[in-house]
Structures are given as structure tokens and as C-alpha cells.
Amino acid sequence: VHYGSPLITRQNTVIVPVKTSAAGGFRVEARIGANGNLLWTQDSSYLLPPHNWVPSFNPVLTADRRVLLPASGGRVLERASADAASGALRTLVFYGDAAYAADPASHDGTVFINTPLASDRAGNVFFGFTVTGSNPAGLVGGIARLGADGSARWVAAADVAGDAAMVKTATNCAPALSNDERTLYVVVNDLPAAGSRAVGRLLALDADTLAARASAALVDPLQGTAAWVNDNASSSPTVGPDGDVYIGVLEAMPPSHNFRGWLLHFDAALARTKTPGGFGWDNTASIVPREIVPQYAGTSGYLLALKYNSYGGIGTGDGQHRVAIVDPNAVQVDRFS
């Protein structure tokens, strides 16, 4: 299971996503950071998409103090104030209120938000969704944008990927924004046949229009073939201070890399593949200022923090799990391959 991340407001309200039963059922609790007392709670109608490991339920906090959380049928529930005991509620439907109201059951049963929600500084919210069957709104899997101005739009994953096989966003994979917030990075993947592994692409989209800017295949750097973009992972794009983009994948032919996968590394335009890292499975890189690692003497402007698992009993794994600080541009021989 993957759990949603807590959010903390400037006034120290801690917003916690809560799973209420083994099969599903979700709510958000807001607690006073100083003492843990409950400030407010909000139930959600959110339904899990098809899954193996249970996906995460991730609300988002916007810069103007709204809280948004996933709901059923691809809808989003918005609370106007994160820090007040009461707040106005409204439901946002990226494909239109009327379309949902015409047949709620059909949309609830076929349209599922399958990524965390992400927000920019202006309060625009982005997320991915998967669609499992026909529905009155004619939706297929893709990426949605809810504008702070009340606008809403969506694009089909296959259309912006330029690949008909890319029918959905990768489950649990949070959208990421460039430093200037003009580009949205998302990962899409296919629905493979039984016995096959999902493959995918990293997309760069215009953050206002969701128009495609670039698309890069996610490739195992050792095998030179399509990497495994597994829906059990929560790997999400990380954007470095220099605009470079990192994304974790599994290797193409496990256990050729000890089921550790790779951290793939691209320039901002996805036009150039740069130095890959030796661990990416179920991992999202964090940015480390080089100044806080005084022993570092290299030339990179920042470092990365990663988990670094070595699964015992698989290939050359020794069972020792680590946290690593790595130089994103330096190279060394990987002891596993």
C-alpha cells in the first residue's frame, strides 16, 4: 500500500489523508500542529482505480489556502479554507457538471483519478486519470487541469504522447512543474497484455494548455530497451534547480539489475538523455543543496537524495538498504551490473 503525504499550512494545520477500511474509503483530517487536536474532517467519495498494490490518496494544498481532494468519477472536492474549523465546499468536474450529473454511476464506475494532485503558485491544479470503459462524457485516460479562474480542460494521454498505446497516466506518479511553472511533466504508460510489462513515456506539456511539447521513451540504460513503468511504484518526476528532470523506472528484464531499476535523467526539453542513476524503483529523488554536504568537492550545482535498496536473495543483492547522497552528473561503475 502507498499512503498519501501529510500537508502542513503556514499556520501549522496538519492535513492528513486517512484510509478508513481495507477495501477503500477515504477522508481528510485537519489537526492543529501544536497539540494534535482535530480541527475539521472531510469525507471523500473517492474510489480506487484498478490496482495491485493499493494506490495513494493524495490531497493538495494551494497557495491561497484551499484544500482539494480526489472524489469519485474523476471529480475533485474543494474546501475553501484549510485553517478554519468550517469552510465552503464545492465539487469540481473537469469534464463538466452536466456530464457527470447525466449519469453519475457510469462515471463513478469508469473514471478514476490515479495520481496525486499537484498545484502551482497560482492555484491551478493538475492530475492524471485512468478510464476503464465507455462513459457518457466520452473520456479516455489522460491529464486534467483545473484552473484557479474556474476553467477546466483535459487531454488524452495517447494524443499528447503521440503513441496510441499510452492510454493512461502511470498510477501514483505525481505531475511535476518546471521551475518557471510553464511546463508540466507527466508519465504515461500502456495496459500490457497478460504476462507482459507496462512501458511508458515521460511527457513535457504546456502547463496552460496541456499541449504536447516533448515526449521521451523511458528506456533501460543497460539493456537499451523499454524500461518497466510499473503501476505499483510511486516514482514521480523531480525537477532540479537547473531544470533537469529525473524519473525512476524498473529495469527491462528483472532481475538484471537486482529489481532496483534506474533513475533516468533528462534535460528540461527531454531532448537529451543524461547520466542515469543506479536506483529508481519506487523512488522520487529529493534535491540537496551542495552547501550542506561540506565534504563534496565536485562541480555539480546540487546533489540528490535517494533511497537505495539492495534486495537480499535476488541476483547480487545483499539485503542492505541505504539512503544515498549522489552527484547527478558524476559516473562510477555500478557494483550490481
Side-chain angles (χ1 to χ4, degrees), residues 10-309:
R10 292 187 180 93
Q11 292 182 223
N12 200 22
T13 301
V14 183
I15 298 167
V16 185
V18 177
K19 185 170 181 283
T20 61
S21 72
F26 296 90
R27 68 171 179 260
V28 167
E29 296 178 357
R31 295 186 174 273
I32 299 169
N35 55 29
N37 290 343
L38 186 66
L39 181 64
W40 55 264
T41 184
Q42 180 60 55
D43 291 330
S44 173
S45 61
Y46 180 67
L47 299 172
L48 290 167
H51 61 274
N52 180 17
W53 295 4
V54 176
S56 60
F57 169 79
N58 284 86
V60 70
L61 179 67
T62 65
D64 55 359
R65 300 186 181 182
R66 292 176 293 137
V67 180
L68 290 86
L69 50 148
S72 64
R75 298 175 299 153
V76 172
L77 187 63
E78 177 196 79
R79 181 186 172 93
S81 175
D83 297 304
S86 60
L89 294 172
R90 64 172 180 162
T91 302
L92 309 175
V93 187
F94 70 86
Y95 52 90
D97 295 332
Y100 178 81
D103 194 343
S106 291
H107 292 102
D108 286 350
T110 61
V111 185
F112 305 90
I113 293 175
N114 71 329
T115 75
L117 308 182
S119 177
D120 64 12
R121 288 185 291 268
N124 303 305
V125 172
F126 309 87
F127 56 89
F129 60 95
T130 183
V131 174
T132 60
S134 61
N135 54 84
L139 299 170
V140 294
I143 303 98
R145 180 187 189 274
L146 296 173
D149 59 1
S151 63
R153 60 175 56 93
W154 69 276
V155 291
D159 290 346
V160 287
D163 184 340
M166 301 291 114
V167 295
K168 54 183 280 298
T169 43
T171 298
N172 293 318
C173 186
L177 287 154
S178 60
N179 295 312
D180 62 8
E181 299 194 333
R182 295 179 180 177
T183 303
L184 182 75
Y185 296 101
V186 297
V187 175
V188 295
N189 62 357
D190 64 356
L191 289 173
S196 298
R197 300 186 180 101
V199 300
R201 302 185 72 88
L202 175 62
L203 309 182
L205 308 180
D206 184 289
D208 289 329
T209 66
L210 300 184
R213 287 183 169 173
S215 173
L218 298 176
V219 173
D220 181 321
L222 184 64
Q223 303 294 335
T225 57
W228 185 3
V229 182
N230 191 308
D231 279 341
N232 288 346
S234 58
S235 320
S236 299
T238 296
V239 179
D242 57 357
D244 281 4
V245 184
Y246 305 85
I247 181 65
V249 297
L250 266 167
E251 62 260 38
M253 299 174 62
S256 63
H257 199 50
N258 189 230
F259 275 101
R260 295 161 65 248
W262 304 95
L263 186 71
L264 303 184
H265 180 186
F266 299 88
D267 67 13
L270 310 186
R272 187 161 69 96
T273 301
K274 303 176 80 172
T275 314
F279 186 90
W281 158 243
D282 205 18
N283 178 71
T284 302
S286 296
I287 304 299
V288 177
R290 57 173 289 159
E291 294 78 14
I292 69 172
V293 186
Q295 65 269 37
Y296 176 67
T299 59
S300 293
Y302 60 93
L303 306 174
L304 301 176
L306 313 167
K307 71 172 181 175
Y308 212 81
N309 293 356

